[in-house]
Amino acid sequence: MPRTPQKQSTPTVLGKRTLNALNISTPPQSPVKVRTLRSASKELPAKVALAEKDVKEKTEGLPTPPATPSKRKLRSENDCRLKRADKLRDVTNDILITHSTPSSETTPGTPVTPSTPSIYSGAKALFQRGSGSPGKLLCRDAEREALKLFFSSHVSTPAAGSLYVSGPPGTGKSALMAEVLNDVKEKFGNAVKIANINCMTVRKPSLVFCSIFQELFGEELLESIPGEKSVTEKLEQYFTKSTTKQSCIVILDEMDYLITKDQEILYQVFEWTRLKNSNLLLVGIANALNLTSRFLPKLKARNFVPEILRFTPYTAEQIAKVICARLEAYSGTVDDDVDGKDRARSLIHPAAIQLCARKTAANTGDLRKAFDICKRGLDLAEDDARRKFSPQSDVVCQENRSHILTPSTSMSRNSTAFIIPRDAVPPKVTISHIAKICSSAFGGSTVQRVHSLNLQQKAVLCALVVGEKRKASSLTIRELYEHYGALCAKDKLLDSLKASEFREVISALEVCGVINLSAEGRNNSSGGKSSNGDSRRISAAVQAIDLLRAVEDVGMLKRFFSSSA
């Protein structure tokens, strides 16, 4: 008995077979992939026209429909083919009308973000990492005087010498050194040459001599010298046999990255300061308190021990003083009346400042961590202001609050314009804001902190751990971004972030304490200047086993680890 054909309803969406025939990917169902839908929609009219042309060419050469049953069957099949092409055109037009970007003629204008930044923007810029101190570094007077005495006593003689500066991260070692070096340049002028090297940006320890030579004499002269050995010989000759009375200051920041099996490189640079007629002033900076005694015991055996200057962690009182000084400096830049300056000065509640200072001092004493907490607090206060003075952005502000440490994208932060009236008091950073941020930054175990991250932050952290395992060393931010993008493109389940969004994720991960980021160096691995801090070294502060335990329920992130095996 012949099977009765089932009645098919008119399709309302493009099926997978139809899309495959037209070489069009399946329309995404997530709002995040709207860009993909729009790009595919632009190609639909051309592809539909090609399909119709193909059907028309196949049907033009057909003979006049005969009356025999077999020929009538052939005619019916061709008619069905034409009908399917008509339906395809109708459905495609519906999709284009539904999902295409509305024209400016049929939709009202989108609110434009005001060109004048809000009162929070300038304050956040002062607490941004790498923004620099608006004045002299506070609460480091004794260390400043010790550095000035070391340089002035050796440069004015002139005489060689060595100094080792140690202290925990975020205690102002590199910032104070840069400040003192500027004073030395102004005081002594051409009587001194300075090479400031961040060893973390050097590809391998033996290349540090090339970096020193480039800082002192320029890249062109470096390229004219063949081989690393010749560069080392030229440096030694300059330090010990120079006819000029010009002192040479070499700063090796993150000096522990020059540690090798035999410590030959560290011994060599320290030995240059002991040679006769040497004009080298060597300053090493690292976090370890006992680096010279632990890794360079031969120096003590030769009765040669460099001077040591230790930086202690900031206390709660010092951290609060620095934060208040930054707010005061920002109020001085506000081009407004007295009330406007007072509003800028009081953006963070005094009790919130004290809570931030105590929490930071009790955990690490890292001033940079306190700045990160203040910046995130200002983000939350700005969300409160946007919700208060622009009610239509309630949904946006609620989404921003879903993750305290989620980076602020241009769509969420700037999509709704708001203006604070002159007679209104802008929302302040309160104790509740700081408490929420500190609980994510300091509270709980490593696994709990990883659990508090959003999907993209976890993906970047997984890419970092996988990349370190594959390379067997730390990565630069640029290398991590490339590796992260390659992992996202391989699985095609997660859209990779833009470069600006990626940097904000890196900042959020550092606030959470799950990564370590080097200070900004003057040189990068390729010998040029760093751009946007992308040459800074980054390393994971979590173990791979803890990270796997935290993302075990996220299949796409677990595949990051399986693909690297």
Side-chain angles (χ1 to χ4, degrees):
M1 185 174 181
R3 182 181 298 176
T4 305
Q6 299 292 330
K7 182 178 180 182
Q8 297 181 354
S9 59
T10 304
T12 58
V13 295
L14 295 179
K16 290 185 178 180
R17 294 181 180 178
T18 307
L19 291 169
N20 291 334
L22 292 174
N23 194 21
I24 302 171
S25 58
T26 305
Q29 302 301 322
S30 171
V32 180
K33 299 183 178 180
V34 170
R35 294 193 303 268
T36 306
L37 176 60
R38 289 175 178 172
S39 61
S41 299
K42 293 178 180 178
E43 300 175 359
L44 279 175
K47 294 185 177 181
V48 170
L50 289 175
E52 293 177 345
K53 182 179 179 181
D54 182 59
V55 173
K56 184 177 180 181
E57 290 176 353
K58 292 181 179 179
T59 56
E60 281 180 351
L62 293 177
T64 304
T68 59
S70 59
K71 301 298 183 179
R72 280 199 299 269
K73 180 180 179 182
L74 179 61
R75 176 188 176 187
S76 177
E77 290 176 356
N78 289 317
D79 290 342
C80 292
R81 196 178 305 160
L82 287 173
K83 290 179 180 179
R84 282 197 297 269
D86 293 337
K87 290 180 180 179
L88 176 61
R89 184 180 60 253
D90 296 338
V91 172
T92 303
N93 291 334
D94 291 341
I95 291 178
L96 289 173
I97 294 173
T98 304
H99 297 283
S100 61
T101 304
S103 62
S104 57
E105 297 177 357
T106 58
T107 57
T110 305
V112 180
T113 304
S115 58
T116 304
S118 69
I119 193 174
Y120 300 95
S121 303
K124 289 190 293 184
L126 277 180
F127 291 108
Q128 180 72 37
R129 293 202 180 201
S131 60
S133 177
K136 288 189 175 182
L137 192 65
L138 299 178
C139 307
R140 285 290 180 250
D141 296 334
E143 292 83 354
R144 181 183 292 103
E145 293 302 321
L147 287 175
K148 286 185 176 181
L149 179 62
F150 172 79
F151 287 123
S152 61
S153 61
H154 287 82
V155 173
S156 58
T157 307
S162 60
L163 173 68
Y164 176 63
V165 180
S166 64
T171 52
K173 302 184 296 295
S174 301
L176 184 61
M177 183 63 67
E179 178 187 321
V180 173
L181 286 178
N182 288 332
D183 295 339
V184 170
K185 289 179 183 178
E186 294 180 0
K187 182 177 181 180
F188 296 100
N190 295 330
V192 62
K193 294 191 72 171
I194 299 176
N196 193 354
I197 309 297
N198 190 324
C199 301
M200 204 178 202
T201 63
V202 180
R203 285 179 296 175
K204 59 180 181 179
S206 60
L207 291 178
V208 69
F209 300 114
C210 296
S211 299
I212 295 173
F213 192 94
Q214 179 181 334
E215 286 285 319
L216 293 176
F217 306 108
E219 186 175 359
E220 294 183 0
L221 189 57
L222 174 64
E223 293 176 351
S224 64
I225 301 177
E228 298 175 11
K229 186 176 180 181
S230 300
V231 172
T232 306
E233 293 174 354
K234 289 285 185 181
L235 280 177
E236 183 174 347
Q237 182 179 1
Y238 172 74
F239 292 144
T240 58
K241 299 180 181 180
S242 177
T243 57
T244 63
K245 294 183 179 181
Q246 190 179 43
S247 295
C248 183
I249 300 176
V250 174
I251 311 296
L252 297 179
D253 202 354
E254 305 288 353
M255 191 175 66
D256 48 337
Y257 277 83
L258 300 181
I259 293 177
T260 56
K261 291 183 179 180
D262 54 5
Q263 314 303 343
E264 179 182 357
I265 295 173
L266 286 177
Y267 275 122
Q268 186 165 10
V269 292
F270 275 103
E271 282 292 333
W272 283 344
T273 62
R274 296 182 65 248
L275 296 178
K276 186 179 180 180
N277 299 326
S278 175
N279 64 346
L280 174 61
L281 284 177
L282 177 66
V283 179
I285 304 175
N287 298 331
L289 300 177
N290 59 347
L291 185 143
T292 54
S293 60
R294 180 181 177 184
F295 295 101
L296 303 173
K298 292 181 182 179
L299 294 179
K300 188 176 182 180
R302 298 173 185 176
N303 198 23
F304 173 70
V305 178
E307 299 181 39
I308 295 177
L309 177 62
R310 290 190 172 93
F311 281 61
T312 58
Y314 282 96
T315 63
E317 292 77 11
Q318 291 173 335
I319 294 174
K321 182 179 179 180
V322 174
I323 294 174
C324 292
R326 295 238 165 175
L327 289 174
E328 184 69 28
Y330 171 58
S331 66
T333 63
V334 176
D335 188 15
D336 207 338
D337 53 11
V338 178
D339 292 338
K341 294 181 182 295
D342 291 338
R343 290 195 302 175
R345 190 181 295 110
S346 59
L347 282 177
I348 304 179
H349 194 278
I353 294 177
Q354 292 298 325
L355 177 61
C356 173
R358 291 195 184 101
K359 285 285 188 179
T360 306
N363 283 274
T364 60
D366 189 339
L367 187 61
R368 299 172 302 179
K369 185 79 72 174
F371 286 171
D372 290 336
I373 293 173
C374 290
K375 183 175 179 296
R376 297 295 173 184
L378 289 167
D379 281 336
L380 298 182
E382 187 176 20
D383 286 343
D384 291 341
R386 182 177 287 108
R387 184 172 53 179
K388 180 178 180 180
F389 299 106
S390 182
Q392 64 268 27
S393 63
D394 287 347
V395 176
V396 173
C397 293
Q398 189 64 30
E399 290 176 354
N400 289 339
R401 286 179 172 274
S402 60
H403 289 286
I404 298 299
L405 296 176
T406 300
S408 56
T409 61
S410 58
M411 180 178 294
S412 60
R413 296 285 181 194
N414 299 326
S415 59
T416 306
F418 74 100
I419 299 176
I420 301 177
R422 297 179 64 87
D423 56 346
V425 178
K428 300 179 181 180
V429 179
T430 62
I431 293 180
S432 61
H433 292 149
I434 299 298
K436 290 178 182 178
I437 300 170
C438 289
S439 63
S440 299
F442 301 124
S445 63
T446 302
V447 177
Q448 291 175 336
R449 274 185 275 177
V450 174
H451 270 304
S452 67
L453 303 176
N454 61 26
L455 181 60
Q456 285 287 4
Q457 292 167 346
K458 290 178 181 176
V460 173
L461 186 58
C462 290
L464 173 60
V465 172
V466 171
E468 285 182 329
K469 181 179 178 182
R470 179 178 300 176
K471 192 179 178 182
S473 64
S474 60
L475 307 174
T476 64
I477 294 180
R478 184 182 298 107
E479 291 172 342
L480 175 59
Y481 183 58
E482 293 172 356
H483 181 58
Y484 155 80
L487 289 176
C488 291
K490 185 176 182 180
D491 285 340
K492 298 181 180 179
L493 295 176
L494 186 66
D495 285 343
S496 60
L497 297 170
K498 297 180 181 178
S500 58
E501 297 170 340
F502 181 81
R503 295 187 190 100
E504 292 186 2
V505 167
I506 294 297
S507 177
L509 292 177
E510 190 174 19
V511 174
C512 287
V514 294
I515 64 170
N516 295 319
L517 202 59
S518 73
E520 185 75 30
R522 291 183 60 187
N523 60 307
N524 54 29
S525 58
S526 60
K529 304 296 179 182
S530 60
S531 174
N532 297 323
D534 289 349
S535 63
R536 299 168 68 188
R537 291 278 173 178
I538 182 172
S539 59
V542 298
Q543 299 294 330
I545 186 66
D546 294 334
L547 184 58
L548 274 171
R549 191 182 303 117
V551 301
E552 60 184 357
D553 57 338
V554 187
M556 68 176 69
L557 299 184
K558 289 180 67 176
R559 280 195 287 274
F560 281 14
F561 293 89
S562 61
S563 61
S564 65

